[in-house]
Amino acid sequence: MLSVKVSRFYRPEDVPEVSLSLISQERLEMNFPVEPSPEVLSRELFTSETTAFHSISSLRGKCSITFVKDIRSLGDCDLSKENTFFSCLSYNQESSRLASVQGEIRVGASYQAKLPAEASCSVADEPDRDELLYRPGMIDPSTEDKYIKLARSFRMFAMMETRMMDTEKHSRVSDLLFDDALTTLHRCGYKFDEALKEMNANDKLLSADANFMTVEDTKKFCKGIKTIGKNFMRISRELLPLHSRTSRPASTELLDYASASEGEMETLEAEKAAQYACHHCYGSKSRDWHHAGRDGLLLCSDCRLFYKKYGQLRPVDRPSTVPPCLVQAQSFQRRR
């Protein structure tokens, strides 16, 4: 069956009398070139945002509606034909108000924004907001090059034992080091020995920080995002226990992940997933597990969504063998 989308128009008798009286009073104060006759005004309709779908068999005819910006320009419309109407106002059924469809530019002091008082001081009177980090020409260029080379050598030696990725090491000995070295040199008053000593102290702190992600840590983190989601505390606890600044968790179930390959990680995840199974379809793979149903059974996402939508468990073809985790759960309940 074919259906059409229909926009609803309201007739004057569909609009409350209060709204019509306000519009009529406003129109009495207008200056019309030609006063519209009651027959013409009876052809006025009011637009709305209400739409509905109806069967094509319910259509009874066709009419023509002309949208007018202002009712004073109504003389330009030809309303002599049958089933011809005009509209210049919109009706909101919720607020029972009539409003103009076209926007209006309001002119006058009451519609203009009020400008704040002129500032008493200019930007030139304010203190300098910039901070000087380095002034070229304060030391000899050869001494400056020697200082940069020594700072880079010390930092490369300090980061040899760190666990950070190669890309991060490269960035810390190139642009970041050049910026740190010049800023430190300016802070030390362009004294070669003091600046180099402070850079060495910073490099020791940098090498002592073990909270850098290696390539293996990055793989584990990406795998945790895919399998666990954005539960960063759980990812840090289960997949990256050695990466955390806090003490290790009490559970030693996954502490050997640092030396595990991707195949071993998948095996561990499969063993962990086998601990849960849906009590209805016996499935062991699900994004989440929920207790639902009349008996509060543990259900997978598909069974739970079906029960939530239809109020009953979905029809499934369960395997003949019961998952081991469900057998253990049933035996535990019998003991209780």
Side-chain angles (χ1 to χ4, degrees), residues 134 137-148:
Y134 180 72
M138 295 297 295
I139 60 175
D140 187 70
S142 59
T143 306
E144 181 180 335
D145 293 340
K146 182 180 178 181
Y147 165 72
I148 297 295

Side-chain angles (χ1 to χ4, degrees), residues 1-7 51-59:
M1 180 182 295
L2 295 177
S3 60
V4 291
K5 184 179 181 180
V6 180
S7 299
T51 58
F53 287 90
H54 294 279
S55 174
I56 197 171
S57 60
S58 61
L59 299 180

Side-chain angles (χ1 to χ4, degrees), residues 67 80 104 130 162 243 261-262 295 312:
F67 292 94
S80 59
E104 180 183 358
D130 297 332
T162 58
H243 187 68
S261 61
E262 292 188 3
D295 300 330
Q312 60 182 359

Side-chain angles (χ1 to χ4, degrees), residues 247-264:
S247 59
R248 294 186 179 183
S251 175
T252 59
E253 178 184 358
L254 299 172
L255 289 182
D256 57 344
Y257 262 39
S259 60
S261 61
E262 292 188 3
E264 294 174 347

